[in-house]
Amino acid sequence: MKVTEHLKKADKTLISFEILPPLKGQGVQSIFDAIGPLMEFKPPFIDVTYHREEFIYKNKSGGLLEKQVVRKRPGTVGICAAIMNRYQVDAVPHIICGGFSREETENALIDLDFLGIDNVLVLRGDPIKSEGVFVPEKDGHVYAIDLLEQVRNMNEGNFLDEDLSSSTKTDFCIGVAGYPEKHFEAPNLKTDLKYLKNKVDSGAEYIVTQMFFDNSKYFDFVEMCQKAGIDVPIIPGLKPITSLKQITALPRTFHVNLPEDLVDSLSDCKTNDDARQVGIEWAVQQSRELMERKVPCIHFYTMSRSGPVKKIVEQIY
Ligand code: FAD
């Protein structure tokens, strides 16, 4: 079932989860261990992220270095199928522009369609570390909207090969990302919203936000979206802080701000356990307020660790 159908059917705020594919070498059991404890909350859907290739340098004899391409977390499509099969829950694979040609994207989407997966979250993907700025694949997409248009074309029965006749239409429900504190490359929030609106006008049916730690950022963002004519559901994304180093790592990695009160409480913590407790309490307060304001769904970034998120959802659901 599509994410939008779940949202329409719901009479209260839904709870969904996002997981990462395991590191290469770990089996599917690690995924089941990561989400099994959360299934008692009956999430309508589970997102599985996609991670593009990275470059590593291996020592060769004679002091030489060899550059190798590795995908550290492969398997998004297979994991989605495994989750759906095991838990009878809808899975939402993340599909990214980075590292894919249009044809590879088309083939991945065909696989998803064959597997009965009818949801995708389409994203551009971040630049790889060694490049600094996002570089599309040869014949790949530059922005999420370009990828979105490819999915929409397939939903209309149009594949890359124009000579294909009687092509079966896919039927993907398409979600996209939104940034209450603006995307880090956007010159300002207004520009970012313009491009977000373009994604919605091109067929995005819902938005999932980047994590935020100050609910007022989300509420302001929703208001600005509405004023800009964006009328699809905007699902807030929450991530509990789980260690002391995240005080600086989260702003650096995800370009989000941490409110002063939260940082003050974390700075008083002596151990990661203390920080985790503060993070859980903060996320509980955020969730309660979001639920009071009747958001359609709260999407938890679990980072494939169920413990903290389970403790939050137990208190709010
Ligand atoms: P876009 O919508 O393409 O926007 C990228 C930037 O370009 C923005 O600054 C935007 O304002 C600007 N822009 C858009 N269109 C145009 C245009 N036509 N002309 C000029 N500028 C334009 N990354 C992963 O690698 N894997 C994942 O699984 C993943 N999951 C995510 C899930 C969520 C909910 C979120 C919020 C992010 C996720 N990301 C993931 C990170 C995401 O890929 C990055 O934030 C990426 O840098 C931007 O992706 P986007 O889809 O928002 O890009």
Side-chain angles (χ1 to χ4, degrees), residues 18 49-50 94 96 121-127 143-145 177-179 183-186 191-192 195 199 208-210 301:
E18 178 171 309
T49 57
Y50 192 93
H94 292 190
I96 64 172
L121 193 78
V122 304
L123 302 139
R124 187 195 70 179
D126 277 328
Y143 294 110
I145 191 169
Y179 302 83
H183 183 258
F184 70 101
E185 290 168 20
T191 321
D192 209 19
Y195 292 124
K199 290 195 278 192
V208 184
T209 75
Q210 180 59 283
Y301 295 105

PDB file of all heavy atoms in Angstrom, residues 18 49-50 94 96 121-127 143-145 177-179 183-186 191-192 195 199 208-210 301, ligand 1:
ATOM      1  N   GLU A  18      13.100   4.644   9.864  1.00  0.00           N
ATOM      2  CA  GLU A  18      14.055   4.580   8.747  1.00  0.00           C
ATOM      3  C   GLU A  18      15.286   3.806   9.207  1.00  0.00           C
ATOM      4  O   GLU A  18      15.805   4.056  10.295  1.00  0.00           O
ATOM      5  CB  GLU A  18      14.434   5.998   8.346  1.00  0.00           C
ATOM      6  CG  GLU A  18      15.458   6.036   7.231  1.00  0.00           C
ATOM      7  CD  GLU A  18      15.669   7.433   6.701  1.00  0.00           C
ATOM      8  OE1 GLU A  18      14.694   8.119   6.364  1.00  0.00           O
ATOM      9  OE2 GLU A  18      16.835   7.847   6.637  1.00  0.00           O
ATOM     10  N   THR A  49      17.472   3.381   3.565  1.00  0.00           N
ATOM     11  CA  THR A  49      18.311   4.366   2.878  1.00  0.00           C
ATOM     12  C   THR A  49      19.183   3.695   1.807  1.00  0.00           C
ATOM     13  O   THR A  49      19.337   2.475   1.797  1.00  0.00           O
ATOM     14  CB  THR A  49      19.232   5.092   3.877  1.00  0.00           C
ATOM     15  OG1 THR A  49      20.012   4.115   4.555  1.00  0.00           O
ATOM     16  CG2 THR A  49      18.430   5.897   4.875  1.00  0.00           C
ATOM     17  N   TYR A  50      19.714   4.533   0.931  1.00  0.00           N
ATOM     18  CA  TYR A  50      20.651   4.029  -0.084  1.00  0.00           C
ATOM     19  C   TYR A  50      21.982   4.759   0.071  1.00  0.00           C
ATOM     20  O   TYR A  50      22.011   5.975   0.264  1.00  0.00           O
ATOM     21  CB  TYR A  50      20.123   4.263  -1.517  1.00  0.00           C
ATOM     22  CG  TYR A  50      20.965   3.487  -2.484  1.00  0.00           C
ATOM     23  CD1 TYR A  50      20.593   2.212  -2.861  1.00  0.00           C
ATOM     24  CD2 TYR A  50      22.177   3.995  -2.942  1.00  0.00           C
ATOM     25  CE1 TYR A  50      21.410   1.466  -3.687  1.00  0.00           C
ATOM     26  CE2 TYR A  50      22.999   3.246  -3.763  1.00  0.00           C
ATOM     27  CZ  TYR A  50      22.604   1.989  -4.135  1.00  0.00           C
ATOM     28  OH  TYR A  50      23.418   1.248  -4.936  1.00  0.00           O
ATOM     29  N   HIS A  94      14.945   4.185  -0.683  1.00  0.00           N
ATOM     30  CA  HIS A  94      15.431   5.485  -1.127  1.00  0.00           C
ATOM     31  C   HIS A  94      16.187   5.265  -2.438  1.00  0.00           C
ATOM     32  O   HIS A  94      17.022   4.369  -2.537  1.00  0.00           O
ATOM     33  CB  HIS A  94      16.355   6.102  -0.082  1.00  0.00           C
ATOM     34  CG  HIS A  94      15.628   6.495   1.169  1.00  0.00           C
ATOM     35  ND1 HIS A  94      16.209   7.244   2.160  1.00  0.00           N
ATOM     36  CD2 HIS A  94      14.353   6.243   1.566  1.00  0.00           C
ATOM     37  CE1 HIS A  94      15.315   7.446   3.122  1.00  0.00           C
ATOM     38  NE2 HIS A  94      14.185   6.836   2.795  1.00  0.00           N
ATOM     39  N   ILE A  96      18.513   7.221  -5.289  1.00  0.00           N
ATOM     40  CA  ILE A  96      19.280   8.472  -5.411  1.00  0.00           C
ATOM     41  C   ILE A  96      19.819   8.664  -6.838  1.00  0.00           C
ATOM     42  O   ILE A  96      19.939   7.697  -7.598  1.00  0.00           O
ATOM     43  CB  ILE A  96      20.444   8.521  -4.391  1.00  0.00           C
ATOM     44  CG1 ILE A  96      21.488   7.416  -4.633  1.00  0.00           C
ATOM     45  CG2 ILE A  96      19.920   8.434  -2.964  1.00  0.00           C
ATOM     46  CD1 ILE A  96      22.739   7.553  -3.778  1.00  0.00           C
ATOM     47  N   LEU A 121      11.292   6.943  -2.198  1.00  0.00           N
ATOM     48  CA  LEU A 121      11.662   8.303  -1.804  1.00  0.00           C
ATOM     49  C   LEU A 121      12.805   8.701  -2.727  1.00  0.00           C
ATOM     50  O   LEU A 121      13.854   8.035  -2.732  1.00  0.00           O
ATOM     51  CB  LEU A 121      12.107   8.347  -0.337  1.00  0.00           C
ATOM     52  CG  LEU A 121      12.215   9.751   0.245  1.00  0.00           C
ATOM     53  CD1 LEU A 121      10.833  10.301   0.611  1.00  0.00           C
ATOM     54  CD2 LEU A 121      13.089   9.779   1.494  1.00  0.00           C
ATOM     55  N   VAL A 122      12.597   9.725  -3.546  1.00  0.00           N
ATOM     56  CA  VAL A 122      13.629  10.078  -4.527  1.00  0.00           C
ATOM     57  C   VAL A 122      14.473  11.242  -4.029  1.00  0.00           C
ATOM     58  O   VAL A 122      13.954  12.239  -3.532  1.00  0.00           O
ATOM     59  CB  VAL A 122      13.049  10.375  -5.932  1.00  0.00           C
ATOM     60  CG1 VAL A 122      12.230   9.224  -6.458  1.00  0.00           C
ATOM     61  CG2 VAL A 122      12.248  11.637  -5.971  1.00  0.00           C
ATOM     62  N   LEU A 123      15.773  11.062  -4.166  1.00  0.00           N
ATOM     63  CA  LEU A 123      16.733  12.019  -3.596  1.00  0.00           C
ATOM     64  C   LEU A 123      17.891  12.226  -4.563  1.00  0.00           C
ATOM     65  O   LEU A 123      18.179  11.357  -5.379  1.00  0.00           O
ATOM     66  CB  LEU A 123      17.312  11.447  -2.299  1.00  0.00           C
ATOM     67  CG  LEU A 123      16.270  11.107  -1.242  1.00  0.00           C
ATOM     68  CD1 LEU A 123      16.625   9.803  -0.576  1.00  0.00           C
ATOM     69  CD2 LEU A 123      16.137  12.220  -0.254  1.00  0.00           C
ATOM     70  N   ARG A 124      18.559  13.338  -4.372  1.00  0.00           N
ATOM     71  CA  ARG A 124      19.756  13.538  -5.191  1.00  0.00           C
ATOM     72  C   ARG A 124      20.938  12.735  -4.653  1.00  0.00           C
ATOM     73  O   ARG A 124      21.710  12.144  -5.388  1.00  0.00           O
ATOM     74  CB  ARG A 124      20.128  15.032  -5.201  1.00  0.00           C
ATOM     75  CG  ARG A 124      21.254  15.329  -6.165  1.00  0.00           C
ATOM     76  CD  ARG A 124      21.851  16.673  -5.906  1.00  0.00           C
ATOM     77  NE  ARG A 124      22.583  16.698  -4.657  1.00  0.00           N
ATOM     78  CZ  ARG A 124      23.227  17.757  -4.196  1.00  0.00           C
ATOM     79  NH1 ARG A 124      23.192  18.874  -4.888  1.00  0.00           N
ATOM     80  NH2 ARG A 124      23.886  17.700  -3.057  1.00  0.00           N
ATOM     81  N   GLY A 125      21.054  12.692  -3.317  1.00  0.00           N
ATOM     82  CA  GLY A 125      22.243  12.088  -2.702  1.00  0.00           C
ATOM     83  C   GLY A 125      23.272  13.166  -2.455  1.00  0.00           C
ATOM     84  O   GLY A 125      23.288  14.210  -3.131  1.00  0.00           O
ATOM     85  N   ASP A 126      24.115  12.925  -1.473  1.00  0.00           N
ATOM     86  CA  ASP A 126      25.149  13.908  -1.126  1.00  0.00           C
ATOM     87  C   ASP A 126      26.371  13.730  -2.024  1.00  0.00           C
ATOM     88  O   ASP A 126      26.577  12.665  -2.593  1.00  0.00           O
ATOM     89  CB  ASP A 126      25.558  13.735   0.342  1.00  0.00           C
ATOM     90  CG  ASP A 126      24.582  14.455   1.255  1.00  0.00           C
ATOM     91  OD1 ASP A 126      24.042  15.496   0.836  1.00  0.00           O
ATOM     92  OD2 ASP A 126      24.353  13.961   2.369  1.00  0.00           O
ATOM     93  N   PRO A 127      27.205  14.756  -2.120  1.00  0.00           N
ATOM     94  CA  PRO A 127      28.469  14.578  -2.842  1.00  0.00           C
ATOM     95  C   PRO A 127      29.314  13.518  -2.130  1.00  0.00           C
ATOM     96  O   PRO A 127      29.228  13.401  -0.905  1.00  0.00           O
ATOM     97  CB  PRO A 127      29.169  15.945  -2.692  1.00  0.00           C
ATOM     98  CG  PRO A 127      28.150  16.896  -2.199  1.00  0.00           C
ATOM     99  CD  PRO A 127      27.076  16.101  -1.529  1.00  0.00           C
ATOM    100  N   TYR A 143      19.520  16.607 -10.397  1.00  0.00           N
ATOM    101  CA  TYR A 143      18.694  16.959  -9.234  1.00  0.00           C
ATOM    102  C   TYR A 143      17.632  15.882  -8.999  1.00  0.00           C
ATOM    103  O   TYR A 143      17.255  15.146  -9.921  1.00  0.00           O
ATOM    104  CB  TYR A 143      17.978  18.305  -9.468  1.00  0.00           C
ATOM    105  CG  TYR A 143      18.937  19.476  -9.545  1.00  0.00           C
ATOM    106  CD1 TYR A 143      19.168  20.141 -10.745  1.00  0.00           C
ATOM    107  CD2 TYR A 143      19.618  19.907  -8.396  1.00  0.00           C
ATOM    108  CE1 TYR A 143      20.047  21.213 -10.805  1.00  0.00           C
ATOM    109  CE2 TYR A 143      20.503  20.975  -8.450  1.00  0.00           C
ATOM    110  CZ  TYR A 143      20.716  21.624  -9.659  1.00  0.00           C
ATOM    111  OH  TYR A 143      21.601  22.667  -9.710  1.00  0.00           O
ATOM    112  N   ALA A 144      17.118  15.886  -7.761  1.00  0.00           N
ATOM    113  CA  ALA A 144      16.074  14.907  -7.427  1.00  0.00           C
ATOM    114  C   ALA A 144      14.881  15.029  -8.368  1.00  0.00           C
ATOM    115  O   ALA A 144      14.259  14.026  -8.725  1.00  0.00           O
ATOM    116  CB  ALA A 144      15.640  15.097  -5.970  1.00  0.00           C
ATOM    117  N   ILE A 145      14.590  16.251  -8.809  1.00  0.00           N
ATOM    118  CA  ILE A 145      13.411  16.437  -9.669  1.00  0.00           C
ATOM    119  C   ILE A 145      13.572  15.674 -10.994  1.00  0.00           C
ATOM    120  O   ILE A 145      12.602  15.178 -11.564  1.00  0.00           O
ATOM    121  CB  ILE A 145      13.118  17.936  -9.911  1.00  0.00           C
ATOM    122  CG1 ILE A 145      11.753  18.100 -10.565  1.00  0.00           C
ATOM    123  CG2 ILE A 145      14.207  18.602 -10.714  1.00  0.00           C
ATOM    124  CD1 ILE A 145      11.254  19.529 -10.616  1.00  0.00           C
ATOM    125  N   ALA A 177      12.490  14.808  -0.220  1.00  0.00           N
ATOM    126  CA  ALA A 177      13.034  15.386   1.016  1.00  0.00           C
ATOM    127  C   ALA A 177      12.761  16.885   1.074  1.00  0.00           C
ATOM    128  O   ALA A 177      12.723  17.567   0.046  1.00  0.00           O
ATOM    129  CB  ALA A 177      14.548  15.147   1.065  1.00  0.00           C
ATOM    130  N   GLY A 178      12.583  17.384   2.308  1.00  0.00           N
ATOM    131  CA  GLY A 178      12.454  18.829   2.540  1.00  0.00           C
ATOM    132  C   GLY A 178      13.291  19.219   3.756  1.00  0.00           C
ATOM    133  O   GLY A 178      13.579  18.369   4.609  1.00  0.00           O
ATOM    134  N   TYR A 179      13.678  20.481   3.828  1.00  0.00           N
ATOM    135  CA  TYR A 179      14.662  20.915   4.837  1.00  0.00           C
ATOM    136  C   TYR A 179      14.148  22.132   5.607  1.00  0.00           C
ATOM    137  O   TYR A 179      14.271  23.270   5.124  1.00  0.00           O
ATOM    138  CB  TYR A 179      15.987  21.249   4.137  1.00  0.00           C
ATOM    139  CG  TYR A 179      16.527  20.068   3.363  1.00  0.00           C
ATOM    140  CD1 TYR A 179      16.059  19.785   2.069  1.00  0.00           C
ATOM    141  CD2 TYR A 179      17.439  19.201   3.940  1.00  0.00           C
ATOM    142  CE1 TYR A 179      16.507  18.675   1.369  1.00  0.00           C
ATOM    143  CE2 TYR A 179      17.890  18.088   3.241  1.00  0.00           C
ATOM    144  CZ  TYR A 179      17.421  17.835   1.961  1.00  0.00           C
ATOM    145  OH  TYR A 179      17.859  16.729   1.274  1.00  0.00           O
ATOM    146  N   HIS A 183      18.286  23.387   2.764  1.00  0.00           N
ATOM    147  CA  HIS A 183      19.352  22.491   2.303  1.00  0.00           C
ATOM    148  C   HIS A 183      20.664  23.275   2.323  1.00  0.00           C
ATOM    149  O   HIS A 183      20.698  24.464   1.975  1.00  0.00           O
ATOM    150  CB  HIS A 183      19.044  21.995   0.889  1.00  0.00           C
ATOM    151  CG  HIS A 183      20.066  21.025   0.383  1.00  0.00           C
ATOM    152  ND1 HIS A 183      21.048  21.389  -0.508  1.00  0.00           N
ATOM    153  CD2 HIS A 183      20.282  19.727   0.678  1.00  0.00           C
ATOM    154  CE1 HIS A 183      21.816  20.344  -0.764  1.00  0.00           C
ATOM    155  NE2 HIS A 183      21.374  19.318  -0.059  1.00  0.00           N
ATOM    156  N   PHE A 184      21.740  22.603   2.684  1.00  0.00           N
ATOM    157  CA  PHE A 184      22.990  23.336   2.921  1.00  0.00           C
ATOM    158  C   PHE A 184      23.536  24.056   1.690  1.00  0.00           C
ATOM    159  O   PHE A 184      24.281  25.019   1.806  1.00  0.00           O
ATOM    160  CB  PHE A 184      24.058  22.405   3.522  1.00  0.00           C
ATOM    161  CG  PHE A 184      24.601  21.354   2.572  1.00  0.00           C
ATOM    162  CD1 PHE A 184      25.823  21.535   1.952  1.00  0.00           C
ATOM    163  CD2 PHE A 184      23.902  20.193   2.325  1.00  0.00           C
ATOM    164  CE1 PHE A 184      26.344  20.567   1.089  1.00  0.00           C
ATOM    165  CE2 PHE A 184      24.403  19.225   1.463  1.00  0.00           C
ATOM    166  CZ  PHE A 184      25.622  19.412   0.843  1.00  0.00           C
ATOM    167  N   GLU A 185      23.150  23.612   0.497  1.00  0.00           N
ATOM    168  CA  GLU A 185      23.675  24.285  -0.697  1.00  0.00           C
ATOM    169  C   GLU A 185      22.780  25.435  -1.155  1.00  0.00           C
ATOM    170  O   GLU A 185      23.194  26.230  -2.007  1.00  0.00           O
ATOM    171  CB  GLU A 185      23.784  23.286  -1.856  1.00  0.00           C
ATOM    172  CG  GLU A 185      24.870  22.266  -1.668  1.00  0.00           C
ATOM    173  CD  GLU A 185      24.765  21.132  -2.679  1.00  0.00           C
ATOM    174  OE1 GLU A 185      24.128  21.289  -3.728  1.00  0.00           O
ATOM    175  OE2 GLU A 185      25.328  20.069  -2.392  1.00  0.00           O
ATOM    176  N   ALA A 186      21.563  25.488  -0.642  1.00  0.00           N
ATOM    177  CA  ALA A 186      20.627  26.517  -1.118  1.00  0.00           C
ATOM    178  C   ALA A 186      21.041  27.878  -0.563  1.00  0.00           C
ATOM    179  O   ALA A 186      21.388  27.986   0.607  1.00  0.00           O
ATOM    180  CB  ALA A 186      19.207  26.179  -0.667  1.00  0.00           C
ATOM    181  N   THR A 191      14.608  30.123  -1.925  1.00  0.00           N
ATOM    182  CA  THR A 191      15.043  29.420  -3.150  1.00  0.00           C
ATOM    183  C   THR A 191      14.810  27.920  -2.988  1.00  0.00           C
ATOM    184  O   THR A 191      14.328  27.255  -3.910  1.00  0.00           O
ATOM    185  CB  THR A 191      16.566  29.624  -3.374  1.00  0.00           C
ATOM    186  OG1 THR A 191      16.898  30.938  -3.038  1.00  0.00           O
ATOM    187  CG2 THR A 191      16.972  29.308  -4.782  1.00  0.00           C
ATOM    188  N   ASP A 192      15.180  27.422  -1.814  1.00  0.00           N
ATOM    189  CA  ASP A 192      15.024  25.993  -1.565  1.00  0.00           C
ATOM    190  C   ASP A 192      13.555  25.587  -1.698  1.00  0.00           C
ATOM    191  O   ASP A 192      13.225  24.545  -2.288  1.00  0.00           O
ATOM    192  CB  ASP A 192      15.544  25.688  -0.146  1.00  0.00           C
ATOM    193  CG  ASP A 192      16.092  24.277  -0.020  1.00  0.00           C
ATOM    194  OD1 ASP A 192      16.412  23.664  -1.065  1.00  0.00           O
ATOM    195  OD2 ASP A 192      16.195  23.788   1.113  1.00  0.00           O
ATOM    196  N   TYR A 195      12.352  25.213  -5.275  1.00  0.00           N
ATOM    197  CA  TYR A 195      12.688  23.920  -5.894  1.00  0.00           C
ATOM    198  C   TYR A 195      11.870  22.784  -5.277  1.00  0.00           C
ATOM    199  O   TYR A 195      11.531  21.813  -5.958  1.00  0.00           O
ATOM    200  CB  TYR A 195      14.193  23.657  -5.782  1.00  0.00           C
ATOM    201  CG  TYR A 195      15.004  24.616  -6.625  1.00  0.00           C
ATOM    202  CD1 TYR A 195      16.000  25.404  -6.070  1.00  0.00           C
ATOM    203  CD2 TYR A 195      14.738  24.749  -7.992  1.00  0.00           C
ATOM    204  CE1 TYR A 195      16.731  26.287  -6.843  1.00  0.00           C
ATOM    205  CE2 TYR A 195      15.466  25.641  -8.773  1.00  0.00           C
ATOM    206  CZ  TYR A 195      16.463  26.409  -8.195  1.00  0.00           C
ATOM    207  OH  TYR A 195      17.171  27.291  -8.978  1.00  0.00           O
ATOM    208  N   LYS A 199       9.274  20.152  -7.192  1.00  0.00           N
ATOM    209  CA  LYS A 199       9.207  18.686  -7.050  1.00  0.00           C
ATOM    210  C   LYS A 199       7.752  18.256  -6.829  1.00  0.00           C
ATOM    211  O   LYS A 199       7.309  17.258  -7.385  1.00  0.00           O
ATOM    212  CB  LYS A 199      10.091  18.211  -5.886  1.00  0.00           C
ATOM    213  CG  LYS A 199      11.593  18.343  -6.140  1.00  0.00           C
ATOM    214  CD  LYS A 199      12.465  17.562  -5.155  1.00  0.00           C
ATOM    215  CE  LYS A 199      12.723  18.241  -3.859  1.00  0.00           C
ATOM    216  NZ  LYS A 199      13.764  17.634  -3.022  1.00  0.00           N
ATOM    217  N   VAL A 208       9.251  14.235   3.316  1.00  0.00           N
ATOM    218  CA  VAL A 208       9.797  13.865   4.629  1.00  0.00           C
ATOM    219  C   VAL A 208      10.893  14.875   4.946  1.00  0.00           C
ATOM    220  O   VAL A 208      11.735  15.166   4.093  1.00  0.00           O
ATOM    221  CB  VAL A 208      10.403  12.446   4.631  1.00  0.00           C
ATOM    222  CG1 VAL A 208      10.869  12.070   6.046  1.00  0.00           C
ATOM    223  CG2 VAL A 208       9.399  11.425   4.121  1.00  0.00           C
ATOM    224  N   THR A 209      10.872  15.397   6.168  1.00  0.00           N
ATOM    225  CA  THR A 209      11.851  16.451   6.457  1.00  0.00           C
ATOM    226  C   THR A 209      13.162  15.881   6.977  1.00  0.00           C
ATOM    227  O   THR A 209      13.214  14.792   7.547  1.00  0.00           O
ATOM    228  CB  THR A 209      11.358  17.452   7.536  1.00  0.00           C
ATOM    229  OG1 THR A 209      11.437  16.844   8.824  1.00  0.00           O
ATOM    230  CG2 THR A 209       9.970  17.963   7.237  1.00  0.00           C
ATOM    231  N   GLN A 210      14.175  16.663   6.789  1.00  0.00           N
ATOM    232  CA  GLN A 210      15.447  16.450   7.471  1.00  0.00           C
ATOM    233  C   GLN A 210      15.174  16.514   8.971  1.00  0.00           C
ATOM    234  O   GLN A 210      14.207  17.163   9.399  1.00  0.00           O
ATOM    235  CB  GLN A 210      16.431  17.552   7.041  1.00  0.00           C
ATOM    236  CG  GLN A 210      17.807  17.464   7.661  1.00  0.00           C
ATOM    237  CD  GLN A 210      18.489  16.141   7.343  1.00  0.00           C
ATOM    238  OE1 GLN A 210      18.161  15.122   7.952  1.00  0.00           O
ATOM    239  NE2 GLN A 210      19.414  16.164   6.416  1.00  0.00           N
ATOM    240  N   TYR A 301      14.435   8.540  12.507  1.00  0.00           N
ATOM    241  CA  TYR A 301      15.711   8.063  11.963  1.00  0.00           C
ATOM    242  C   TYR A 301      16.336   7.180  13.027  1.00  0.00           C
ATOM    243  O   TYR A 301      16.815   7.676  14.050  1.00  0.00           O
ATOM    244  CB  TYR A 301      16.641   9.253  11.680  1.00  0.00           C
ATOM    245  CG  TYR A 301      16.119  10.166  10.588  1.00  0.00           C
ATOM    246  CD1 TYR A 301      15.569  11.402  10.883  1.00  0.00           C
ATOM    247  CD2 TYR A 301      16.182   9.766   9.260  1.00  0.00           C
ATOM    248  CE1 TYR A 301      15.093  12.234   9.876  1.00  0.00           C
ATOM    249  CE2 TYR A 301      15.708  10.587   8.253  1.00  0.00           C
ATOM    250  CZ  TYR A 301      15.163  11.811   8.569  1.00  0.00           C
ATOM    251  OH  TYR A 301      14.691  12.619   7.566  1.00  0.00           O
TER     252      TYR A 301
HETATM  253  P1  FAD B   1      17.466  18.219  -4.559  1.00  0.00           P
HETATM  254  O1  FAD B   1      16.006  18.348  -4.377  1.00  0.00           O
HETATM  255  O2  FAD B   1      17.966  17.890  -5.917  1.00  0.00           O
HETATM  256  O3  FAD B   1      18.134  19.583  -4.059  1.00  0.00           O
HETATM  257  C1  FAD B   1      19.545  19.687  -3.920  1.00  0.00           C
HETATM  258  C2  FAD B   1      19.944  21.151  -3.890  1.00  0.00           C
HETATM  259  O4  FAD B   1      19.791  21.715  -5.179  1.00  0.00           O
HETATM  260  C3  FAD B   1      19.119  22.026  -2.962  1.00  0.00           C
HETATM  261  O5  FAD B   1      19.966  23.023  -2.444  1.00  0.00           O
HETATM  262  C4  FAD B   1      18.074  22.636  -3.866  1.00  0.00           C
HETATM  263  O6  FAD B   1      17.622  23.890  -3.382  1.00  0.00           O
HETATM  264  C5  FAD B   1      18.857  22.780  -5.157  1.00  0.00           C
HETATM  265  N1  FAD B   1      18.086  22.636  -6.384  1.00  0.00           N
HETATM  266  C6  FAD B   1      17.088  21.755  -6.619  1.00  0.00           C
HETATM  267  N2  FAD B   1      16.676  21.867  -7.892  1.00  0.00           N
HETATM  268  C7  FAD B   1      17.435  22.822  -8.489  1.00  0.00           C
HETATM  269  C8  FAD B   1      17.513  23.378  -9.791  1.00  0.00           C
HETATM  270  N3  FAD B   1      16.697  22.996 -10.776  1.00  0.00           N
HETATM  271  N4  FAD B   1      18.429  24.350 -10.035  1.00  0.00           N
HETATM  272  C9  FAD B   1      19.276  24.771  -9.052  1.00  0.00           C
HETATM  273  N5  FAD B   1      19.243  24.283  -7.784  1.00  0.00           N
HETATM  274  C10 FAD B   1      18.332  23.313  -7.513  1.00  0.00           C
HETATM  275  N6  FAD B   1      21.079  10.713   0.922  1.00  0.00           N
HETATM  276  C11 FAD B   1      21.511   9.508   0.478  1.00  0.00           C
HETATM  277  O7  FAD B   1      22.587   9.416  -0.130  1.00  0.00           O
HETATM  278  N7  FAD B   1      20.788   8.355   0.695  1.00  0.00           N
HETATM  279  C12 FAD B   1      19.594   8.381   1.343  1.00  0.00           C
HETATM  280  O8  FAD B   1      18.968   7.343   1.528  1.00  0.00           O
HETATM  281  C13 FAD B   1      19.104   9.638   1.834  1.00  0.00           C
HETATM  282  N8  FAD B   1      17.913   9.727   2.469  1.00  0.00           N
HETATM  283  C14 FAD B   1      17.449  10.949   2.879  1.00  0.00           C
HETATM  284  C15 FAD B   1      16.169  11.055   3.453  1.00  0.00           C
HETATM  285  C16 FAD B   1      15.661  12.285   3.875  1.00  0.00           C
HETATM  286  C17 FAD B   1      14.297  12.359   4.474  1.00  0.00           C
HETATM  287  C18 FAD B   1      16.452  13.459   3.712  1.00  0.00           C
HETATM  288  C19 FAD B   1      15.936  14.781   4.182  1.00  0.00           C
HETATM  289  C20 FAD B   1      17.700  13.382   3.128  1.00  0.00           C
HETATM  290  C21 FAD B   1      18.209  12.133   2.688  1.00  0.00           C
HETATM  291  N9  FAD B   1      19.457  12.022   2.050  1.00  0.00           N
HETATM  292  C22 FAD B   1      19.896  10.796   1.595  1.00  0.00           C
HETATM  293  C23 FAD B   1      20.312  13.201   1.873  1.00  0.00           C
HETATM  294  C24 FAD B   1      20.081  13.913   0.528  1.00  0.00           C
HETATM  295  O9  FAD B   1      20.425  13.073  -0.539  1.00  0.00           O
HETATM  296  C25 FAD B   1      20.941  15.160   0.518  1.00  0.00           C
HETATM  297  O10 FAD B   1      20.470  16.094   1.451  1.00  0.00           O
HETATM  298  C26 FAD B   1      21.196  15.813  -0.845  1.00  0.00           C
HETATM  299  O11 FAD B   1      22.260  16.745  -0.698  1.00  0.00           O
HETATM  300  C27 FAD B   1      20.005  16.567  -1.409  1.00  0.00           C
HETATM  301  O12 FAD B   1      19.023  15.728  -1.813  1.00  0.00           O
HETATM  302  P2  FAD B   1      17.601  16.293  -2.340  1.00  0.00           P
HETATM  303  O13 FAD B   1      16.846  15.130  -2.838  1.00  0.00           O
HETATM  304  O14 FAD B   1      16.986  17.149  -1.315  1.00  0.00           O
HETATM  305  O15 FAD B   1      18.138  17.170  -3.577  1.00  0.00           O
END
